Amino acid sequence: MSRPVSRGASNSAEESRLYLRESDLDQGASLIRQSARKIRHMVGSVAQEAGLLEAELDTLIELVEMEGCDISELRAHLFAPKQSLARNLNALEKSGYIERVPCPKDGRRRLLNLTESGKEVISKAANGWRDVLLEAYRASGPEVVANAKKLLQHVAKSSPEKDEDS
């Protein structure tokens, strides 16, 4: 069965619709899950070598882009329960991978920063998935890569509440 999917603003009604079969959507979702599992496996191997849980390494990885955020911002970004995130942050701090520093504007808040050893662990993890992505990007070409990034950004930025209503 095909269903029309809005493609965004365009010049004609014909161009504004993209017809996808249910099987196309299912196959796309399956490929995204398979890719995520492969990357998760690579991250899991690095986590194990570093003596970390995968959730702890995920937290470190997210701090690369969010360095200097507070715990509430990180928790909202990760959709993580407060207790789980607190446990992961305590373990990462104890291992010397992160540090909590007082916020200069509000002494009650603590900001999260990576230490040099935290950055080293992330760098090692990134090498594995960068190699896989580089090979895929080269095989696919720049237009496909740009479209794939656009697709994944849209999926990543979709509201979890919206996902639950679907």
Side-chain angles (χ1 to χ4, degrees):
M1 171 188 210
S2 294
R3 87 165 62 162
V5 178
S6 176
R7 189 194 261 175
S10 66
N11 297 332
S12 74
E14 186 178 323
E15 290 178 349
S16 69
R17 296 285 183 184
L18 173 64
Y19 287 90
L20 295 170
R21 295 182 310 247
E22 297 290 331
S23 62
D24 293 332
L25 294 170
D26 293 344
Q27 183 184 28
S30 176
L31 288 169
I32 289 171
R33 288 191 314 274
Q34 288 173 29
S35 299
R37 280 193 299 271
K38 183 167 188 167
I39 290 172
R40 168 103 11 244
H41 176 73
M42 285 183 259
V43 169
S45 297
V46 172
Q48 189 174 22
E49 287 176 27
L52 296 172
L53 299 173
E54 284 184 37
E56 293 167 350
L57 185 56
D58 278 344
T59 302
L60 275 182
I61 291 167
E62 291 306 317
L63 280 174
V64 169
E65 291 185 25
M66 298 185 69
E67 187 155 13
C69 72
D70 69 13
I71 295 169
S72 298
E73 293 167 321
L74 181 61
R75 189 170 80 82
H77 181 77
L78 292 173
F79 305 112
K82 191 182 282 189
Q83 295 82 1
S84 298
L85 183 58
R87 187 175 46 250
N88 291 337
L89 291 174
N90 288 338
L92 292 170
E93 188 174 33
K94 186 177 179 182
S95 299
Y97 294 129
I98 66 166
E99 59 184 359
R100 299 180 209 208
V101 296
C103 176
K105 296 178 183 174
D106 181 354
R108 297 170 296 176
R109 290 177 55 211
R110 296 282 181 241
L111 305 180
L112 303 168
N113 291 319
L114 294 167
T115 63
E116 286 306 313
S117 49
K119 290 175 185 177
E120 287 175 24
V121 169
I122 293 167
S123 178
K124 188 172 183 178
N127 286 338
W129 73 68
R130 283 184 183 140
D131 290 345
V132 169
L133 289 176
L134 180 60
E135 184 181 324
Y137 284 179
R138 285 183 174 152
S140 301
E143 186 177 324
V144 172
V145 170
N147 287 331
K149 286 168 48 177
K150 190 174 174 181
L151 169 84
L152 293 173
Q153 285 171 341
H154 185 76
V155 170
K157 290 180 180 180
S158 68
S159 167
E161 293 80 27
K162 186 177 176 183
D163 294 343
E164 290 173 5
D165 293 341
S166 298

